[in-house]
Amino acid sequence: MTTLDRDETHTPAALPRPVIAGRPLPLRAAVPLAVAAGLALLMAFPPYGVWPLAPVGVALLAAAAHRRRLRAGAGLGFLTGVAFFAPLLDWTNLHTGYLPWVLLSLLQAGYLALLGAATAWVSPLVDRARWAWPALTGLLWVGQEALRDRTPFGGFPWGRLAFSQDSSPLLRLAALGGAPLVTFVVALIGGLLVTAVWRGWVTAQRHAPEHTTTPSDAVPGSDGPLDGPAPAGGAVARRWTPVVVPAVVAVALTAGGLLVPVATAGSGDTVTVAIVQGNVPRLGLDFNAQRQAVLNNHVDATIELAERVADGQQRRPDLVVWPENSSDIDPLRNPTAGARISQAADTIGAPILVGAVLLGPDAGQVRNAGILWRPGTGADLEQLYTKRHPVPFAEYVPLRDVARMVSKKVDLIRNDFVPGSTPGVVRAGPTVLGDVICFEVAYDEVVRDTVTGGAQLLVVQTNNATFNVAEARQQMAMVRLRAVEHGRPALMASTVGVSGFVAPDGRVSDATGFNTREVVVRQLRLDDGRTLATRLGWWPEVALAALAAAALVGAAVLRRRQRVRPG
């Protein structure tokens, strides 16, 4: 028998309904619900983007794990996690083999197993006060994400509920409390849905003609048939109020996001910015086997832009942004690479933010950096940002000997990338940039530190040549949330796409295709104000996670009291 098979085997077979109040859903219903929860969550994210399915997925997992034993709750949460993360992260297996993808998916699913166990644990609180179910659901999701975003090796925040809401009215809530608040409200709405559906089913059961209640069915604090006889015929409206009210509140909360004020454009100076997406000779891990070709693609595209400027077809940009890995030849040590970048900067007559791989500072080390290259003077070493959060097993290899047993491809990373120590605040003429590189856009503090450091424009330099268009669109969804969170215009510059500009209200403009060579130019209004989310920083997440911990402690106290209660 599995853990799930052993759970709740005492349910009497003679009951007229497959579910009774006071007991969990039978496994034959809970297991499909858990899998459906993961698939609903998956469909809420790009490239599918059916954002209303995010709270539906939350509701399905909450229903499946409610009133279960801890092991069964964990098992159901794990099923949800596998159904969600395995297809969401399938872009990680395109060039590294299946095993790293499987291990990463199982690791992430483990956090939803913890969530399933926590959901089962707080069931006594839900049964004692049904109105608390939505809030508890929201708190547990924030707590789970707070843990997953930080552990192990600095965490992996991909797949946060907030990142599924890039086209939702709830995106605006990011301006008030960042990604944690958006996640909380999405899960809160899921809690409202499960409350409404659960009470609706119980109400239908209570008044089904063939249902009879016996004293042995009674469970303290439960709802439904166990709470007593059916109300008189005139109480229909009162009977269905616990169903209708949560459903109406869920819809109102979703629509209420539109009432949160966000800027549609910056309020400062206007600048013209160009994104150069030079493309690569071929996708895959060996995209940089022709490093000179990748650099030449970006240089040539910039020179072509300069020709259009000279012909009057295009406004001269104040800033040009190249993506991550646009120069995997260290231009500070290789005169040929440096000369080519200088040629591009001098021809366009504007500074270029170059995504470069730099050697050092010590032997055997490299840095993933954004460096400002000015026309006439070349590299500005005072305006250089080194990526603060290198990706484990992709840019550096912890436990290398163990990792080699999983995949020999870890040896493609000959030198470990070393992290930078300062936020990516880059001063480029009339513009102060908040530079983050690739996956760093998923980490709240990395982006926020640039804004508190004075950034007026958020810039995400990324390289999607080793992934696919689904990963690129998922990353663009994160950029949209960051723009709203901090009230800043933003852009994403990718080697192969998707690149584009994002307004402070989250709207995307001039999005490029995937695996194409394109240059897009746009005028942007800068901004140096601070949203409430920027001012509050990490405190909303701390408060919500602390309340989640308090709920777990409260459930422990209630469980202990129930165990020692006479009778």
Side-chain angles (χ1 to χ4, degrees):
M1 275 191 177
T2 66
T3 300
L4 296 180
D5 291 331
R6 290 194 300 268
D7 189 54
E8 320 303 345
T9 55
H10 59 278
T11 303
L15 288 172
R17 286 284 189 254
V19 186
I20 62 170
R23 293 193 176 99
L25 295 171
L27 287 174
R28 63 179 178 272
V31 169
L33 282 184
V35 174
L39 296 178
L41 291 170
L42 170 69
M43 296 298 292
F45 283 80
Y48 312 104
V50 189
W51 58 264
L53 288 179
V56 172
V58 170
L60 292 174
L61 176 57
H66 184 52
R67 293 173 175 163
R68 305 219 82 89
R69 296 175 182 176
L70 295 185
R71 287 177 298 175
L76 291 166
F78 189 75
L79 286 177
T80 297
V82 171
F84 173 41
F85 283 112
L88 183 77
L89 303 177
D90 68 343
W91 44 265
T92 62
N93 76 355
L94 295 178
H95 310 288
T96 61
Y98 287 100
L99 190 54
W101 162 61
V102 168
L103 292 177
L104 177 61
S105 300
L106 294 179
L107 173 64
Q108 299 305 303
Y111 288 92
L112 287 195
L114 293 176
L115 176 64
T119 301
W121 180 255
V122 301
S123 295
L125 290 178
V126 172
D127 288 333
R128 189 179 184 90
R130 186 70 64 199
W131 57 266
W133 203 351
L136 287 171
T137 303
L139 293 174
L140 293 180
W141 270 92
V142 173
Q144 173 265 140
E145 288 189 354
L147 183 64
R148 187 166 66 84
D149 297 351
R150 292 167 174 82
T151 59
F153 308 116
F156 187 67
W158 220 268
R160 297 169 74 178
L161 287 181
F163 296 151
S164 69
Q165 302 298 297
D166 58 319
S167 300
S168 162
L170 298 178
L171 181 69
R172 291 170 168 248
L173 296 175
L176 302 180
L181 179 61
V182 178
T183 285
F184 173 75
V185 176
V186 172
L188 176 71
I189 292 171
L192 288 166
L193 294 179
V194 71
T195 300
V197 173
W198 191 282
R199 289 301 297 265
W201 184 90
V202 166
T203 300
Q205 287 294 96
R206 181 190 300 180
H207 303 293
E210 68 273 24
H211 184 85
T212 57
T213 303
T214 65
S216 61
D217 289 332
V219 175
S222 67
D223 53 7
L226 313 184
D227 289 338
V236 173
R238 186 170 66 250
R239 220 160 45 210
W240 288 95
T241 296
V243 178
V244 174
V245 170
V248 170
V249 173
V251 173
L253 271 178
T254 303
L258 296 172
L259 301 178
V260 178
V262 294
T264 57
S267 57
D269 297 334
T270 300
V271 296
T272 302
V273 181
I275 299 173
V276 175
Q277 178 179 302
N279 210 7
V280 300
R282 58 183 176 269
L283 300 175
L285 289 178
D286 64 343
F287 78 95
N288 61 354
Q290 300 184 43
R291 297 178 298 170
Q292 188 65 55
V294 175
L295 173 58
N296 288 341
N297 283 355
H298 289 84
V299 171
D300 294 343
T302 304
I303 292 175
E304 291 169 6
L305 171 63
E307 293 172 353
R308 294 198 297 274
V309 170
D311 292 342
Q313 302 174 30
Q314 184 64 260
R315 181 188 297 270
R316 184 180 301 277
D318 300 300
L319 171 71
V320 178
V321 179
W322 287 4
E324 176 190 27
N325 297 123
S326 50
S327 180
D328 273 359
I329 305 171
D330 185 345
L332 302 182
R333 300 188 182 221
N334 186 299
T336 302
R340 288 245 64 194
I341 299 173
S342 292
Q343 178 189 6
D346 294 344
T347 305
I348 193 64
I352 302 174
L353 183 66
V354 179
V357 174
L358 306 179
L359 301 178
D362 298 324
Q365 294 179 332
V366 288
R367 292 169 289 164
N368 192 348
I371 181 170
L372 196 68
W373 212 276
R374 298 186 186 276
T377 58
D380 186 345
L381 299 182
E382 296 296 321
Q383 305 303 324
L384 185 153
Y385 168 62
T386 299
K387 187 175 182 180
R388 296 167 62 192
H389 205 299
V391 180
F393 305 104
E395 293 177 312
Y396 74 100
V397 183
L399 309 174
R400 185 178 285 269
D401 291 339
V402 177
R404 189 178 291 114
M405 291 187 288
V406 176
S407 174
K408 299 295 185 183
K409 292 186 182 294
V410 299
D411 290 329
L412 292 174
I413 307 170
R414 299 183 183 89
N415 300 317
D416 285 337
F417 283 77
V418 294
S421 57
T422 58
V425 180
V426 178
R427 289 168 173 80
T431 310
V432 181
L433 308 178
D435 187 23
V436 297
I437 298 176
C438 200
F439 287 8
E440 287 187 318
V441 68
Y443 296 89
D444 297 344
E445 69 281 359
V446 175
V447 181
R448 184 171 58 245
D449 287 348
T450 69
V451 177
T452 57
Q456 302 167 305
L457 169 65
L458 299 179
V459 173
V460 179
Q461 295 178 288
T462 187
N463 171 29
N464 307 107
T466 56
F467 305 124
N468 61 17
V469 67
E471 183 272 345
R473 290 178 178 172
Q474 290 165 18
Q475 203 167 13
M476 180 61 84
M478 301 176 195
V479 180
R480 297 178 71 177
L481 183 138
R482 298 307 180 194
V484 175
E485 179 181 11
H486 299 293
R488 293 288 189 278
L491 64 87
M492 186 165 91
S494 171
T495 47
V496 299
V498 175
S499 305
F501 296 95
V502 182
D505 62 357
R507 288 177 295 111
V508 179
S509 302
D510 302 311
T512 64
F514 188 76
N515 197 19
T516 61
R517 174 169 155 177
E518 298 187 47
V519 176
V520 289
V521 182
R522 191 171 186 84
Q523 282 189 295
L524 303 174
R525 291 284 299 274
L526 304 176
D527 206 312
D528 53 11
R530 294 194 180 186
T531 63
L532 180 61
T534 307
R535 292 195 293 269
L536 290 176
W538 69 336
W539 287 112
E541 184 179 43
V542 170
L544 293 169
L547 288 173
L552 296 175
V553 173
V557 172
L558 186 56
R559 283 171 172 269
R560 180 175 178 82
R561 288 178 179 175
Q562 289 177 344
R563 282 199 300 269
V564 301
R565 181 178 296 151

